[in-house]
Amino acid sequence: MQKILNKNIKSDGGLHLIISFGFYLKIFILFYILNLIFPYNREIKYSTIVTDKKSEIVYAFLSSDEKWRIMLEEDEISPKLEKALLFKEDKYFYYHPGVNIIAIFRAFVNNLSKQKRTSGASTITMQLARLQNPKERTYLNKFKEIITALRLEFSYSKKEILRMYLTLAPYGGNIEGIKAACLLYFDKLPKKMSLAEITTLAVIPNRPNSLKISPNNFELVKMRNKWLKKILKAGIFNKIEIEDALLEPISAYRRNSPKFAPQFSYRIKKENPNKAIIRTNLDLNKQIKIQKIVKNYIAGIYIRNIKNACVLIIENKTGNVISYIGSADFNNKEDAGQVDGIRAIRSPGSTLKPLLYGKAFETGLITPKFVISDVPVSYGAYEPENFDEKFHGNVTVEYALSHSLNIPAVKILDRYKLNNFINLLEKLNFKTIKKQHSSLGHSVILGGCGVSLEEQATVFTAYANEGFYKELSYLQSDTNKIGFQLLSKSANYMLTQILTTVSRPDLPSEWQNSRHLPKVAWKTGTSYGKKDAWSIGFNKKYTVAVWVGNFSSEGVPELSGARTAAPLLFQIFNTIDYNSKNDFNKLAENIDFRNVCTASGNIPSDLCSDISIDAFIPGVSPNKICTHLKEIYISADSSVSYCKTCLPENGYKKAVYRNLKPEIRSFYELTGVKYKKIPPHFPNCERIFRENSPQITSPIKNVEYFIDKIDSTKIMLSADVSPDVDTVYWYINNKFIASRRSNKKLFVIPPSGKIKISCTDDKGRNTNIFIVIKYIEGF
């Protein structure tokens, strides 16, 4: 036949070739136009895979049609893989338009002469067409494959066609594509496959049901070696590579798909439903280590009925989430292991306190050495208590925060304004706070609200970044996260200095004398009812947030942030950043240091003798002169005191006394603390009746109180009075109720409506307030 063709070409002087070229050109143009009008677009249903920052597979999901079909990327097709595959399947892949006419003609002649199928002629493009639309092998369907192959070539590049073929090639069961096969049989990615492994996978797609991968499949070894020898003969690879490949055993077997960070992966997949590959910032190596630590830690305390924990780790410099432990054991259904504890709404305990203190530093309300009283106080019906159920009198701000005292925190919140703080939390995207806004009170700073570990960790990451806040980054594509300065650098410095204090009660006992105590700033918290234990800390590199408890919200007497969550926090820091330097709290530019009176935290007066050094923000921090001591005129026998109004011409002297606030005096009287009392004022002084009247501390004036009719709840009457008062007298609506010692409280059932409450001391000084009482049936 070739001779006849040559003769015709010569005799026609090339005319035949010209006519044929014109005919094929018209067909090509027509085909091209039709393809533009009706472009080829067949969607491939991929399995979704979640990868870490190094492209390691964290989790793999089945495709929507229940297949393991993982999208192969072009850079994953190694030269070794491409050479081996094209040698076996389609040597002229880069030279034909999707159909190899010569191979088709040769196969047609061979099959016709031998009356059976002896050789195939399908190119890789034609095989891809068949894989996308599987049908019975007939000449008609073969023609359809040819048309589809041509359309594929018009629509995609050769590299794209090769990639799609390798993504759809069958490997037995529901495994499709070389990437899925590499992962599920060899636990490798395509780039890391050896020549023997590549050749093994190259021979399977033609016989996926008989050439199944298993260590004892000798037929598969035989077929692989047959093609390796053909490759050697063709000179595709050198002899040494082939000989090594021939001796390599098939050690593959069917493995489980990667299932690390399940809660994280399900979340990310749900948020990115149309992505075949979701590239995250997770660090798989750290994820596996921390998951094991958390699981073992919970196993060690499980006997105490503490059954779960979750951990979030953020890289401070980037804001990338590198570890996401949603529970101690995802497969533990009995203890609700499939709950995502990172996003669960829980009571934060004391972990919101650093934010409040930081804002109080920034707005000039306090400084670290500023002294605040930790004594009984009430805000309407709310009377906060400390975790240890004790009162500590005057304490510094840094002591109050490092020891997590509740009453000072509530006082600072009251000064900062409750609504300002709630608005700040809303700005920081605390979702449940937004829903609870109208019902939140002063208890919010002690855990009387709902937050997630994720929300908390984001705020603590801001402390690690000199007060700069921005949302966390889960995906590698999250490069446009914007932020703002949550705390000034100066306020953030003050806060961090306190959080790095080691001498504090929430340092776990087992770490108190350890040489390996990580150098971190941290805060713990325990919710009411001991249902939640928190410990959140940071150093220069990482922020780690830990929650320990039960997803059932069952309280445990032994549960606390210090004893239960902090040990896990320190163990994690020593795992991810062992022996780190304590250099992460940079001294802010706009901060200075000054001498203050230790007793008040204010600038020393001439009477102050005990001096400390305190950090302050020039032009912002309070600048008051200390008045904790004052000079008093007293009689020669120290029996009475005088003011300038009643000071006699002689027979008096000066003495220095502590200028105690009424609430501190009441606390000292209540607890029996001895102190040097100012002598009672001269009884005949005219001024005594105009000043120092009682200060009613409970109830709060102009407040509306709701009382349950059934419970007959009583309200507390209490007042702060001057030192010279022994007895106070209480009146409601001008009617005498009872008298009490000046440091004693009185509980009464008030009438409904607007009522007048009066307190008169034994010197005749009086104070009145008005409140509203409403009785309701059941809350």
Side-chain angles (χ1 to χ4, degrees), residues 77-93:
I77 304 174
S78 65
K80 191 180 295 184
L81 170 60
E82 184 174 333
K83 286 179 183 179
L85 177 70
L86 295 185
F87 176 77
K88 181 183 179 300
E89 294 294 334
D90 193 350
K91 296 182 182 67
Y92 303 103
F93 175 70

Side-chain angles (χ1 to χ4, degrees), residues 665-675 743:
R665 285 200 305 268
S666 297
F667 172 69
Y668 285 171
E669 295 290 342
L670 184 67
T671 56
V673 175
K674 302 295 183 182
Y675 66 99
N743 59 352

Side-chain angles (χ1 to χ4, degrees), residues 48-60 70-76 179 183 187-192 258 260 276-285 474-476:
T48 297
I49 61 168
V50 178
T51 64
D52 81 339
K53 64 180 184 179
K54 297 178 181 178
S55 298
E56 296 289 333
I57 297 179
V58 175
Y59 205 101
I70 301 174
M71 187 175 79
L72 185 70
E73 298 178 270
E74 281 190 22
D75 64 352
E76 292 182 302
K179 190 170 181 177
L183 185 67
D187 193 25
K188 295 180 180 180
L189 291 175
K191 282 183 177 180
K192 299 179 180 179
F260 305 106
I277 302 176
I278 306 175
R279 294 176 174 84
T280 74
N281 294 317
L282 222 62
D283 184 324
L284 184 57
N285 184 43
Y474 289 100
L475 306 181
Q476 292 179 24

Side-chain angles (χ1 to χ4, degrees), residues 95 117 186 372 406 497 548 574 703:
Y95 304 102
R117 186 177 182 274
F186 294 94
I372 191 168
N406 291 340
Q497 282 295 98
V548 180
N574 272 352
V703 170

Side-chain angles (χ1 to χ4, degrees), residues 297 507-514 517 562-564 566-568 570:
Y297 183 80
L507 177 65
S509 57
E510 63 266 38
W511 289 89
Q512 286 178 4
N513 299 311
S514 174
L517 177 68
R563 290 179 298 185
T564 316
L568 180 55
F570 293 148

Side-chain angles (χ1 to χ4, degrees), residues 375-659:
V375 297
V377 66
S378 64
Y379 294 89
Y382 178 57
E383 297 180 16
E385 293 183 347
N386 289 319
F387 185 77
D388 60 5
E389 298 180 349
K390 298 178 181 178
F391 302 100
H392 303 82
N394 279 334
V395 296
T396 63
V397 163
E398 62 184 5
Y399 181 94
L401 179 56
S402 64
H403 286 67
S404 200
L405 300 181
N406 291 340
I407 294 170
V410 175
K411 286 186 171 183
I412 292 171
L413 176 62
D414 190 59
R415 292 184 62 189
Y416 182 71
K417 302 303 179 186
L418 173 63
N419 206 50
N420 290 343
F421 190 66
I422 294 173
N423 289 337
L424 174 63
L425 294 175
E426 290 183 1
K427 182 180 179 181
L428 297 174
N429 203 28
F430 280 70
K431 296 182 176 63
T432 305
I433 297 290
K434 291 180 180 179
K435 298 175 183 177
Q436 298 174 331
H437 189 134
S438 60
S439 62
L440 294 176
H442 285 79
S443 64
V444 68
I445 197 60
L446 309 182
C449 58
V451 305
S452 70
L453 189 70
E454 179 179 40
E455 292 166 344
Q456 292 270 61
T458 310
V459 174
F460 272 75
T461 304
Y463 307 151
N465 285 296
E466 298 184 283
F468 188 80
Y469 174 93
K470 68 176 180 178
E471 293 181 3
L472 303 181
S473 296
Y474 289 100
L475 306 181
Q476 292 179 24
S477 57
D478 292 341
T479 56
N480 58 346
K481 296 284 186 180
I482 58 174
F484 59 91
Q485 199 69 37
L486 172 61
L487 294 176
S488 69
K489 292 182 179 181
S490 302
N492 197 76
Y493 172 82
M494 292 178 177
L495 175 64
T496 304
Q497 282 295 98
I498 297 173
L499 295 181
T500 54
T501 303
V502 175
S503 300
R504 52 201 263 195
D506 62 347
L507 177 65
S509 57
E510 63 266 38
W511 289 89
Q512 286 178 4
N513 299 311
S514 174
R515 292 189 299 110
H516 306 298
L517 177 68
K519 299 174 181 65
V520 298
W522 85 98
K523 183 72 186 76
T524 61
T526 308
S527 68
Y528 179 78
K530 297 189 175 181
K531 300 176 181 180
D532 308 278
W534 304 77
S535 188
I536 311 174
F538 59 92
N539 65 6
K540 185 174 184 178
K541 290 184 179 179
Y542 303 107
T543 294
V544 178
V546 172
W547 174 90
V548 180
N550 295 313
F551 288 147
S552 63
S553 294
E554 180 182 358
V556 181
E558 294 84 5
L559 189 75
S560 75
R563 290 179 298 185
T564 316
L568 180 55
L569 177 83
F570 293 148
Q571 187 179 353
I572 290 171
F573 266 113
N574 272 352
T575 299
I576 63 175
D577 197 20
Y578 181 72
N579 203 26
S580 60
K581 295 180 179 179
N582 190 14
D583 61 351
F584 55 91
N585 192 26
K586 285 175 57 179
L587 181 64
E589 291 182 5
N590 189 29
I591 200 165
D592 208 342
F593 298 88
R594 65 186 179 189
N595 290 332
V596 296
C597 175
T598 303
S600 67
N602 290 323
I603 296 173
S605 70
D606 294 338
L607 298 175
C608 298
S609 58
D610 195 359
I611 307 299
S612 301
I613 297 176
D614 190 20
F616 76 105
I617 306 173
V620 175
S621 297
N623 213 23
K624 297 178 181 177
I625 302 297
C626 177
T627 58
H628 93 282
L629 294 176
K630 63 179 180 179
E631 287 185 324
I632 302 291
Y633 295 105
I634 61 175
S635 61
D637 60 359
S638 303
S639 60
V640 295
S641 60
Y642 303 106
C643 65
K644 291 184 178 181
T645 302
C646 60
L647 184 66
E649 292 184 4
N650 51 50
Y652 67 89
K653 60 183 178 179
K654 281 185 179 181
V656 176
Y657 289 87
R658 292 173 65 188
N659 186 22

